[in-house]
Amino acid sequence: MTPHYRAAFQWQSRAVLMRHFTVYRRNWHTAALPPLLEPIILLLAFGVGLGGFIPELAWRGHSVPYLAYLAPGMLAYTAFMTAFFQALFAAYIRMHYQKTWEGQLITQVRLEHVVWGEALWAATLGTCYALIVILVLAGFSITGWIQLYWSSALLVLPLLFLAALAFASLGLLFTALVPTIDHMNIPFFLVIMPLGFASSTYFPLAGDSLWAQLWLTLNPLHHLAEGVRLLLLTGAMNQHLLIACGLFLLMILVLIPIDERLLRRRVLGEG
Amino acid sequence: MIFSDDLNAQREPVLLAEGLVKQFAGRRVVDGVGLRCQAGQVLGLLGANGAGKTTTLRMCYGFLEPDAGTVHVAGIDRHADPETAARRVGVCTQDDTFDTDFTVRDNLVQMSRYFRPRPSALKPRISALLERFGLDRYANQKPDILSGGYRRRLMLARALVHEPRLLFLDEPTTGLDPQARLEVWELIDALRREGLGIVLTTHYMEEAERLSDELLVLREGRMVAAGQSRTVLGDLVGEHMLVLEAADPAAPAVREWARQVGLPEPSRVLSSLHLALNGPGLAQFSAQFGDLRFEVRPPTLDDLFLKLADKS
């Protein structure tokens, strides 16, 4: 294992991760509101509100209520967006404004540990927020608004962690590249928002053109949303889960060393 | 005393750096610099802006990897064993890099978590540090309420939480008022007396003179002088500093005389002209300009700094 990946398992990365956890734990009462309320609001607005006008949706030969279609997509979207947002905005603020990274780098912690600590924290938070969405969906289930295969819901958590880690490594790439915090609008609105919606999260995607096929084949968020949806709606293990797994692993293996190199240049002026 | 007794027993230098080289974007910002600091000694690193002080310091404490050269901390090769070397080093950076998400006390606790083996008897040590640095009354508050002087104290306390043997201070009193600066000096002086090796960079010549046992002067990334302040001044400035009014009608003649005898151009400081001279030069000047009103004083590090800045 090369030093890029070995650092993920070293105590320094855990120390960075635990630092973020400690800060979060102290602010939990305000920090936990968005992940708790956002899915409720979105499920009510889109699932119940908009879904009221779309009684049934044709999906893979099935007819499903829009709320049931939306719920797994929101799980994927939450893990994706939370991890990316943390690795982009929160990490940038710690790096640039709070100088938390510099304070860590004068100890036994090295840059590769800071990178892994940030990525692991973003992934942890993304998974926790997805778990909150699962709990909210469970509440909806009790009311009888939604019918899902709940035994499968917890099975997707490890995959959501992997997905969040991959999207965190993408977020750190932009953290390394954007010149100022204002420039974050560029990746956020030109890459992340379109990716978040055009990935079978909120509506089904299909197309026969080469570009559509390429997009659907290589888009990890599409595979995650569809894989989780198939699992929760039909209870079936499926190839989308496997493809998503492979794409996320590839993203992590490729992006983390790039993040490290670019951040080394940005933070230390080296490379 | 908050440091272990065996500190004073150490004979090998706590810092030995040799032949340090660092390039950024193809430009050598540090070129062949060497440092040596013993336990209980303060080594002052002097130079104008851009001389390479901070980069040299960063290579010594491991923030940057040197392109060439070696760094040994308490006998440990930093390149071969960076983790052990980092365990022996405390750093007070130029900017405040304490963690604004934690209280003053928790800043020290959090800092200790970045070191293995974990500092022993941590709780009493943190209490002792808070008391020593006058931070105990702010222990449960966030650092953003602290004044500049107390922020520096927190940075110092953070740098000491893991019982380092070598302390790096990068411009530790920049931006402080005279009273706060004096207090920080006293703290640094006490740490030196307890046997800690200290390497500091500063722009304040009085600070360098009062705190440093040895000086190392950098110019454009290279060492230009090293030793005790008198030696450094003698080497780089001269034995005497002659000061006369720039508006004196004889000033042009003095400039011309300096040019003829091969001295550098007298430097203008506000309304005065400053000219560095050795003993024979001063005698020659007195013989030539006996009627002129002038003052002769020993050179100071301010003179050195102005000279370095001028050449840079």
Side-chain angles (χ1 to χ4, degrees):
Chain A
M1 192 184 285
T2 70
H4 296 300
Y5 311 118
R6 196 166 45 229
F9 304 100
Q10 290 174 329
W11 68 265
Q12 292 98 325
S13 299
R14 284 198 302 279
V16 174
L17 171 69
M18 289 310 292
R19 179 256 168 221
H20 301 327
F21 176 69
T22 306
V23 174
Y24 187 84
R25 200 185 57 201
R26 287 174 189 186
N27 304 322
W28 71 269
H29 47 287
T30 50
L33 272 183
L36 193 65
L37 292 183
E38 193 181 1
I40 296 175
I41 293 166
L42 287 176
L43 282 167
L44 287 173
F46 288 103
V48 180
L50 185 63
F53 296 95
I54 316 166
E56 294 286 320
L57 196 77
W59 173 73
R60 291 179 181 268
H62 302 276
S63 184
V64 292
Y66 182 64
L67 185 59
Y69 176 87
L70 177 68
M74 276 200 57
L75 263 181
Y77 183 84
T78 300
F80 156 71
M81 193 54 94
T82 306
F84 185 83
F85 202 83
Q86 269 294 317
L88 184 66
F89 285 96
Y92 185 90
I93 287 167
R94 284 192 281 269
M95 174 187 74
H96 187 74
Y97 293 105
Q98 295 188 326
K99 300 201 181 295
T100 311
W101 289 18
E102 194 178 341
Q104 291 164 340
L105 291 170
I106 56 174
T107 66
Q108 287 175 304
V109 173
R110 296 194 300 273
L111 189 72
E112 55 267 36
H113 303 122
V114 173
V115 169
W116 273 110
E118 291 287 349
L120 288 168
W121 168 242
T124 306
L125 208 59
T127 314
C128 288
Y129 283 15
L131 180 62
I132 291 174
V133 174
I134 291 176
L135 295 176
V136 171
L137 292 177
F140 275 59
S141 179
I142 292 167
T143 62
W145 287 358
I146 198 167
Q147 296 297 322
L148 299 173
Y149 281 81
W150 290 107
S151 55
S152 306
L154 292 178
L155 285 178
V156 301
L157 281 178
L159 178 62
L160 290 172
F161 179 82
L162 194 68
L165 192 58
F167 290 125
S169 60
L170 182 65
L172 284 171
L173 181 75
F174 290 117
T175 298
L177 290 174
V178 290
T180 68
I181 199 162
D182 296 326
H183 287 83
M184 286 184 185
N185 286 334
I186 296 170
F188 195 76
F189 287 102
L190 292 185
V191 180
I192 297 312
M193 288 291 277
L195 178 66
F197 286 107
S199 298
S200 312
T201 45
Y202 284 78
F203 52 87
L205 279 180
D208 295 327
S209 73
L210 177 68
W211 291 112
Q213 287 304 310
L214 208 61
W215 174 253
L216 293 178
T217 307
L218 296 178
N219 180 349
L221 188 55
H222 160 75
H223 289 292
L224 179 69
E226 283 293 271
V228 172
R229 187 171 288 122
L230 269 166
L231 191 65
L232 292 185
L233 294 186
T234 67
M237 294 300 281
N238 58 84
Q239 63 168 6
H240 285 290
L241 296 174
L242 204 63
I243 295 169
C245 224
L247 287 172
F248 292 137
L249 274 174
L250 190 67
M251 280 176 74
I252 294 163
L253 290 175
V254 171
L255 286 175
I256 289 282
I258 296 174
D259 294 344
E260 196 192 313
R261 175 171 291 195
L262 292 175
L263 286 166
R264 188 171 297 282
R265 188 180 299 167
R266 175 161 200 158
V267 177
L268 308 180
E270 291 183 331
Chain B
M1 184 179 284
I2 57 172
F3 299 100
S4 53
D5 290 337
D6 67 343
L7 271 179
N8 298 319
Q10 299 297 326
R11 291 210 165 261
E12 65 186 350
V14 282
L15 174 67
L16 181 62
E18 293 173 309
L20 294 178
V21 174
K22 188 71 190 174
Q23 291 198 143
F24 288 121
R27 194 174 77 87
R28 275 199 177 198
V29 293
V30 175
D31 190 1
V33 171
L35 292 86
R36 185 188 183 92
C37 180
Q38 299 284 349
Q41 187 186 43
V42 177
L43 172 67
L45 222 56
L46 283 180
N49 282 333
K53 303 184 299 289
T54 297
T55 305
T56 301
L57 221 61
R58 285 179 160 188
M59 284 190 281
C60 289
Y61 64 69
F63 189 84
L64 293 175
E65 192 64 34
D67 296 335
T70 58
V71 178
H72 286 83
V73 177
I76 294 155
D77 184 345
R78 170 169 278 292
H79 184 73
D81 190 357
E83 205 167 308
T84 310
R87 180 65 180 78
R88 283 157 171 74
V89 164
V91 182
C92 181
T93 50
Q94 198 171 323
D95 295 323
D96 291 333
T97 51
F98 46 69
D99 202 321
T100 49
D101 285 321
F102 290 92
T103 63
V104 167
R105 182 190 298 278
D106 288 344
N107 252 281
L108 303 190
V109 175
Q110 185 57 36
M111 190 68 171
S112 73
R113 291 180 177 145
Y114 296 136
F115 292 99
R116 297 283 187 285
R118 288 267 179 88
S120 56
L122 187 63
K123 213 170 169 183
R125 178 164 179 80
I126 286 175
S127 298
L129 282 168
L130 289 172
E131 193 182 334
R132 175 176 192 169
F133 287 90
L135 290 162
D136 39 357
R137 65 191 134 138
Y138 305 112
N140 298 317
Q141 303 198 49
K142 292 275 182 76
D144 46 16
I145 62 122
L146 297 178
S147 65
Y150 278 87
R151 284 169 179 240
R152 287 281 98 188
R153 287 163 176 252
L154 175 56
M155 285 298 294
L156 275 170
R158 263 172 62 98
L160 296 169
V161 77
H162 58 294
E163 298 184 77
R165 292 179 53 186
L166 174 63
L167 182 62
F168 289 99
L169 305 171
D170 195 359
E171 300 189 15
T173 63
T174 298
L176 299 189
D177 64 46
Q179 176 66 28
R181 184 176 301 156
L182 193 64
E183 288 168 4
V184 172
W185 287 354
E186 282 168 0
L187 290 167
I188 294 170
D189 199 40
L191 293 170
R192 179 240 312 266
R193 285 198 304 274
E194 289 172 18
L196 202 64
I198 298 172
V199 183
L200 72 88
T201 70
T202 180
H203 278 307
Y204 300 114
M205 297 302 109
E206 190 189 356
E207 182 167 291
E209 225 159 4
R210 286 183 62 158
L211 291 177
S212 306
D213 300 296
E214 298 269 335
L215 291 175
L216 178 69
V217 183
L218 298 180
R219 184 165 62 211
E220 293 171 357
R222 294 184 180 181
M223 292 189 293
V224 288
Q228 295 185 337
S229 65
R230 286 294 118 203
T231 315
V232 167
L233 289 172
D235 288 351
L236 288 182
V237 183
E239 288 175 59
H240 309 285
M241 185 57 71
L242 187 139
V243 183
L244 70 153
E245 285 294 315
D248 194 296
V254 171
R255 287 179 195 274
E256 179 58 23
W257 174 81
R259 195 183 61 77
Q260 282 174 3
V261 297
L263 291 170
E265 172 81 1
S267 53
R268 174 87 185 245
V269 181
L270 299 176
S271 61
S272 307
L273 283 183
H274 289 204
L275 181 61
L277 294 169
N278 57 18
L282 181 61
Q284 208 179 336
F285 180 86
S286 301
Q288 182 86 15
F289 298 99
D291 299 337
L292 200 64
R293 279 174 61 88
F294 60 86
E295 178 196 338
V296 178
R297 60 166 174 76
T300 66
L301 287 172
D302 282 316
D303 298 319
L304 170 66
F305 193 80
L306 286 172
K307 183 170 178 171
L308 291 175
D310 193 33
K311 290 215 170 182
S312 296

